[in-house]
Amino acid sequence: MARPPVTQVGAVRWLRENLFSGWLNTTLTLLTIYILYVALPPLLDWVIFNAAISGTDRDNCTYAGACWVFVKVRFWQFMYGFYPEPERWRVNVVFIIGILGVASLLTSRVPTKAKLIVGVCMLTIFPVFAVVMFGGGVFGLEYIETSQWGGLFLTLTVASAAMVGSFPLGMVLAIGRRSKLPVVKTFCVCFIEFFRGVPLITILFMASVMVPLFLPEGLTLDKLARAIIGITIFNSAYMAEVIRGGLQSIPKGQYEAAHALGLSYWQGMGLIILPQALKAVIPGLVNTFIGLFKDTTLIYIIGIFDLLGMVQASFRDTKWLGLAFEGYAFIMLVFWIFCYSMSKYSQYLERKLNTGHKS
């Protein structure tokens, strides 16, 4: 039997089908190669080959490449903000437990019953544990004000809390918007359209400046808590529309089948309709989560020093003037790692659940 032509197998076939399949693709491929040829060498020289990494001050930097000494010296401040160094173990413990808990929920090797127990604990016990560990003031832990929280630690805290809060709220709003009860439907429609129609920065300013004016005398709410609530409510409106799109994609027969099985409305919604709807909108949900994660940088505008805030605050140090590009490059890398990880897991989940493929 004759072997297939070399152009029909292996890397040659992939190149021909994906990069040189026509005159337009060939032109774009060659143009991309030329741009990389022109831009990549000087970029690598600045980022790696001529960059300054070792040292502890500005004198160790050269003007030929990036001054990563700045990031190195300020690294732990970028991670924890002004959180006292002797107490940072508390942050580490919480995040280690959180990572282990999330990992156990995402892996297929953990039994379903164990996942259910872990999930309930992560939604009930873990948030209380995290607040106690971060803030202290009890069990002999030193009290640390939220004004000292900062850096990537604060970014992840705000993003995680907002994600966990906006997802169930978004589901309730999506179901309510499709309700046959006029009062419920009208409320959900007004809520969703209002918060989708205003910028997030407006919500944050309202939460930071206006909300305290309407609170009863003697009652205060921490600025960080107000920011988290504002971001949660804002993103729940977008989450609701994504989930509503999934609900509308479910055939009417599925609702009729749930009714024929004798299931109540909420049983049918929880056991039959919602699992299919959420499966269909995985890309949209993850896209909303990624947008939420990036939107957390806006809290810097109301005086909360997340990762972006800590990096920008470090620019005011006269020892490191003129190194803004290195700081922003570091932020870009950190956010890209987290967003890319969420995107890749979304793709894995789609393949695992066979989303979008006909059987």
Side-chain angles (χ1 to χ4, degrees), residues 331-349:
I331 296 174
M332 179 183 67
L333 176 62
V334 171
F335 273 83
W336 180 84
I337 290 173
F338 280 98
C339 294
Y340 182 74
S341 299
M342 286 189 280
S343 176
K344 294 303 291 184
Y345 181 77
S346 167
Q347 295 174 21
Y348 160 76
L349 201 58

Side-chain angles (χ1 to χ4, degrees), residues 13-292:
R13 177 186 177 183
W14 185 91
L15 290 172
R16 190 172 63 85
E17 291 183 352
N18 293 276
L19 301 181
F20 302 97
S21 58
W23 69 267
L24 179 59
N25 278 353
T26 301
T27 303
L28 292 176
T29 299
L30 294 176
L31 180 61
T32 302
I33 292 173
Y34 174 74
I35 293 175
L36 291 176
Y37 172 77
V38 172
L40 203 55
L43 179 62
L44 291 177
D45 286 338
W46 187 84
V47 174
I48 300 175
F49 301 119
N50 295 328
I53 300 175
S54 60
T56 58
D57 54 43
R58 183 65 175 269
D59 295 334
N60 299 113
C61 297
T62 63
Y63 294 96
C67 180
W68 299 125
V69 177
F70 163 65
V71 176
K72 175 185 173 183
V73 171
R74 296 276 185 167
F75 180 79
W76 295 114
Q77 191 177 46
F78 294 164
M79 295 296 102
Y80 297 98
F82 303 111
Y83 207 88
E85 185 174 353
E87 302 297 325
R88 290 175 182 174
W89 65 270
R90 291 153 51 174
V91 177
N92 298 336
V93 168
V94 172
F95 276 98
I96 290 173
I97 295 176
I99 291 171
L100 293 177
V102 172
S104 65
L105 294 175
L106 299 181
T107 182
S108 58
R109 298 181 179 180
V110 178
T112 303
K113 290 185 178 180
K115 284 186 177 182
L116 181 60
I117 296 174
V118 172
V120 172
C121 292
M122 292 294 291
L123 292 175
T124 56
I125 300 175
F126 180 74
V128 177
F129 171 73
V131 171
V132 171
M133 289 291 286
F134 291 159
V138 293
F139 304 119
L141 297 174
E142 178 187 347
Y143 175 68
I144 300 176
E145 297 181 354
T146 55
S147 59
Q148 294 180 273
W149 302 12
L152 182 62
F153 144 59
L154 184 59
T155 296
L156 295 177
T157 300
V158 173
S160 301
M163 287 178 186
V164 172
S166 63
F167 181 64
L169 182 57
M171 283 198 295
V172 172
L173 290 170
I175 295 172
R177 183 160 189 168
R178 291 173 52 83
S179 174
K180 296 180 180 179
L181 300 175
V183 176
V184 175
K185 182 175 182 179
T186 301
F187 173 80
C188 292
V189 169
C190 293
F191 184 97
I192 292 171
E193 296 304 328
F194 174 79
F195 284 101
R196 290 177 68 223
V198 296
L200 176 57
I201 188 60
T202 304
I203 303 298
L204 291 175
F205 272 122
M206 288 288 292
S208 176
V209 180
M210 298 299 296
V211 169
L213 301 178
F214 294 95
L215 293 176
E217 186 176 354
L219 178 62
T220 59
L221 187 61
D222 186 82
K223 182 191 289 188
L224 177 60
R226 299 198 300 267
I228 292 176
I229 293 172
I231 295 174
T232 300
I233 293 175
F234 179 83
N235 281 277
S236 66
Y238 287 88
M239 197 75 67
E241 287 299 276
V242 173
I243 297 174
R244 185 172 70 92
L247 292 173
Q248 291 186 171
S249 70
I250 304 301
K252 186 179 180 181
Q254 295 294 313
Y255 294 87
E256 296 173 348
H259 182 70
L261 290 173
L263 299 177
S264 66
Y265 173 81
W266 290 108
Q267 287 176 328
M269 187 64 67
L271 298 175
I272 295 179
I273 306 302
L274 269 178
Q276 297 182 72
L278 295 178
K279 173 184 172 181
V281 296
I282 288 175
L285 289 175
V286 175
N287 184 61
T288 305
F289 283 139
I290 291 175
L292 186 158

